[in-house]
């Protein structure tokens, strides 16, 4: 196992650096590393690590949401207003609906499985989007209308919305809920998740103000509580609906609101944790891919991806329709919403690990979406922002 961990970290980091030098997203190098190390090729990843890969991906997902919460600012959300609000759910909703309608015809799966697949693929990737938006903010491109801030805020909440919807659809597919109870559970889970996260965030704000701890210790406390949120969701399943993942993000957002300087510092610490978690996440996803299944998914999967992106783009345009953005700036928001990577890697393998029918197909399409949409979105953002955005003085 130790040899496998060493290979994952070292080769994942090395290939990530190589791809970054090539002006491509680092995560593509990590995915390639996983495919090379996985059982389909050189088989250098210990089976015991693959057995717990679902739990490791869940931890990475928790870190994503904690980092998103600590990185969000209520002031930025208010400044972005309508645009950020609608970007947080409208494009993803359009894409989920597109999969629910067209995936049964194109991929030959059931309507519920199509909904699950749509949830997996409908999230925009913070791992690709956020660094690009920070770069634009440094260059003061589009900042007068808060376009980078709007896209970052929308992407952070978009991920939470998609993950909650994925939980609902996968529960329906596996027979855990009836359609009516699932519809009732969604708002209940969201309300209790927000309330729980906000309450703990307030308590932590008070605790950190009155008891001085090192930032690294504070991060350990935050991660530990975040894990407990997810455990609590499983424990209460069947009695009280609580979204543990939504609670994680709301805890970070509340702490950032109550103690802005502490939230910023802890967000930076979480980013350092993410360096290792990101490598494990994408390498293990690559190792889980059945390469022999790729040709079988092939053209149909690519066609479904294209249909989903086109309909998502309609949702993005509608989300920013009544904002002060001009036509060029609206077009840039469509381009910025193309990348897929982080959430797809975190939840793409869950249907397979749950024993869901067509789980291998879902994972394969999720990996294809990363391989195609992550570099496509990154390259197009670099190419279009000088032409579509105004550089502010």
């Amino acid at each position: 196992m130790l040899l496998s961990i060493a290979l994952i970290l070292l080769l994942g980091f090395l290939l990530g650096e190589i791809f970054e030098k090539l002006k491509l997203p680092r995560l593509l190098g990590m995915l390639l590393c996983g495919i090379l190390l996985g059982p389909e090729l050189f088989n250098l990843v210990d089976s015991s690590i693959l057995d717990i890969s679902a739990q490791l991906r869940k931890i990475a997902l928790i870190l994503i949401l904690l980092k998103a919460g600590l990185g969000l600012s209520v002031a930025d959300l208010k400044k972005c207003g309508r645009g950020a609000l609608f970007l947080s759910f409208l494009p993803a909703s359009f894409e989920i609906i597109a999969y629910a309608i067209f995936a049964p015809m194109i991929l030959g799966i059931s309507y519920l499985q199509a909904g699950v697949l749509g949830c997996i693929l409908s999230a925009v990737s913070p791992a690709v989007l956020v660094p690009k938006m920070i770069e634009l903010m440094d260059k003061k491109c589009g900042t007068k209308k808060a376009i980078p801030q709007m896209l970052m805020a929308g992407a952070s909440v978009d991920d939470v919305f998609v993950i909650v919807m994925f939980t609902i659809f996968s529960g329906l597919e596996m027979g855990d809920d009836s359609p009516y109870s699932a519809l009732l559970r969604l708002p209940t889970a969201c309300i209790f998740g927000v309330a729980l996260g906000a309450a703990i965030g307030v308590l932590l704000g008070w605790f950190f103000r009155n008891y001085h701890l090192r930032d690294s210790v504070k991060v350990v406390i935050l991660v530990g509580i975040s894990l407990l949120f997810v455990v609590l969701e499983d424990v209460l399943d069947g009695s009280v609906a609580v979204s543990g993942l939504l609670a994680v993000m709301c805890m970070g957002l509340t702490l950032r609101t109550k103690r802005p300087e502490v939230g910023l510092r802890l967000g930076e610490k979480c980013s350092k944790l993410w360096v290792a978690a990101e490598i494990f996440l994408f390498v293990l996803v690559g190792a889980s891919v059945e390469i022999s299944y790729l040709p079988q998914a092939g053209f149909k999967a690519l066609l479904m991806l294209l249909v989903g992106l086109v309909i998502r783009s309609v949702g993005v345009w509608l989300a920013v329709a009544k904002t002060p953005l001009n036509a060029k700036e609206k077009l840039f928001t469509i381009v910025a919403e193309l990348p897929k990577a982080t959430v797809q890697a975190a939840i793409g393998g869950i249907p397979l690990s749950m024993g869901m029918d067509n789980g291998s197909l879902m994972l394969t399409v999720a990996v294809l979406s990363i391989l195609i949409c992550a570099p496509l979105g990154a390259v197009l953002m670099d190419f279009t922002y000088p032409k579509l955005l105004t550089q502010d003085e």
Side-chain angles (χ1 to χ4, degrees), residues 2 49-50 53 102 154 220 242 247 260 290 301 329 340 345 350 356:
L2 292 179
I49 295 179
L50 292 175
S53 65
F102 294 104
V220 170
V242 179
E290 297 181 28
E329 291 162 342
K340 301 181 184 297
I350 292 178
M356 192 181 296

Side-chain angles (χ1 to χ4, degrees), residues 17-332:
E17 287 291 304
I18 291 172
F19 271 67
E20 190 171 48
K21 296 292 185 186
L22 297 173
K23 303 296 183 183
L24 293 171
R26 295 168 52 84
L27 54 91
L28 294 179
M30 299 168 192
L31 272 176
L32 176 61
C33 174
I35 292 171
L36 292 173
L37 295 179
E40 296 275 317
L41 289 180
F42 295 107
N43 196 23
L44 295 174
V45 178
D46 194 283
S47 59
S48 57
I49 295 179
L50 292 175
D51 291 339
I52 61 169
S53 65
Q55 287 79 11
L56 293 174
R57 288 198 297 270
K58 178 65 75 71
I59 293 172
L61 184 59
I62 288 169
L63 281 176
I64 292 168
L65 295 177
L66 180 59
K67 196 158 71 79
L70 291 169
L72 274 177
S73 163
V74 174
D76 283 345
L77 288 174
K78 289 180 179 177
K79 185 179 179 182
C80 301
R82 175 193 171 93
L85 173 64
F86 282 98
L87 282 174
S88 67
F89 71 92
L90 200 59
S93 298
F94 269 63
E95 196 164 4
I96 292 170
I97 292 169
Y99 275 86
I101 294 172
F102 294 104
M105 293 184 283
I106 296 174
L107 298 176
I109 59 180
S110 71
Y111 286 102
L112 271 179
Q113 290 168 7
V116 173
L117 183 59
C119 293
I120 292 171
L121 296 176
S122 59
V124 67
S125 171
V128 180
L129 177 72
V130 171
K132 295 292 181 185
M133 294 306 105
I134 292 173
E135 181 183 333
L136 292 182
M137 290 167 67
D138 291 339
K139 294 178 178 178
K140 297 190 182 301
C141 284
T143 50
K144 188 174 182 180
K145 295 183 181 178
I147 294 171
Q149 296 94 319
M150 177 186 71
L151 286 164
M152 284 196 294
S156 298
V157 184
D158 163 274
D159 288 355
V160 179
F161 170 76
V162 165
I163 291 163
V164 171
M165 292 301 294
F166 170 79
T167 305
I168 299 297
F169 273 97
S170 58
L172 285 171
E173 171 61 19
M174 297 305 291
D176 297 337
D177 287 313
S178 71
Y180 302 107
S181 64
L183 287 174
L184 290 173
R185 282 172 62 86
L186 177 57
T188 305
C190 292
I191 291 168
F192 279 111
V194 169
L196 177 62
I200 298 299
V202 170
L203 287 175
L204 286 174
W206 172 84
F207 182 75
F208 292 157
R209 181 181 292 112
N210 291 279
Y211 296 92
H212 297 289
L213 301 170
R214 288 181 301 168
D215 285 345
S216 54
V217 176
K218 293 174 183 174
V219 169
V220 170
I221 293 172
L222 285 175
V223 173
I225 292 174
S226 299
L227 293 171
L228 288 177
F229 283 155
V230 177
V231 172
L232 181 65
E233 179 181 350
D234 294 335
V235 170
L236 294 178
D237 187 36
S239 54
V240 180
V242 179
S243 173
L245 295 173
L246 190 55
V248 171
M249 198 195 82
C250 287
M251 176 180 68
L253 176 60
T254 305
L255 182 58
R256 168 72 187 270
T257 304
K258 294 293 182 182
R259 301 291 307 280
E261 71 290 345
V262 175
L264 280 172
R265 294 202 310 269
L266 297 186
E268 291 173 1
K269 290 284 184 181
C270 284
S271 296
K272 293 176 182 177
L273 279 178
W274 176 243
V275 171
E278 180 185 38
I279 295 174
F280 266 98
L281 173 61
F282 288 105
V283 171
L284 288 176
V285 167
S288 302
V289 174
E290 297 181 28
I291 299 175
S292 57
Y293 207 83
L294 285 171
Q296 186 177 340
F299 173 75
K300 291 181 178 180
L302 292 175
L303 177 60
M304 190 61 243
L305 280 173
L306 177 61
V307 171
L309 288 176
V310 170
I311 296 178
R312 179 188 183 86
S313 298
V314 176
V316 176
W317 188 272
L318 291 175
V320 296
K322 296 293 181 68
T323 63
L325 276 60
N326 60 38
K328 287 184 177 180
E329 291 162 342
K330 290 174 183 175
L331 181 57
F332 180 78

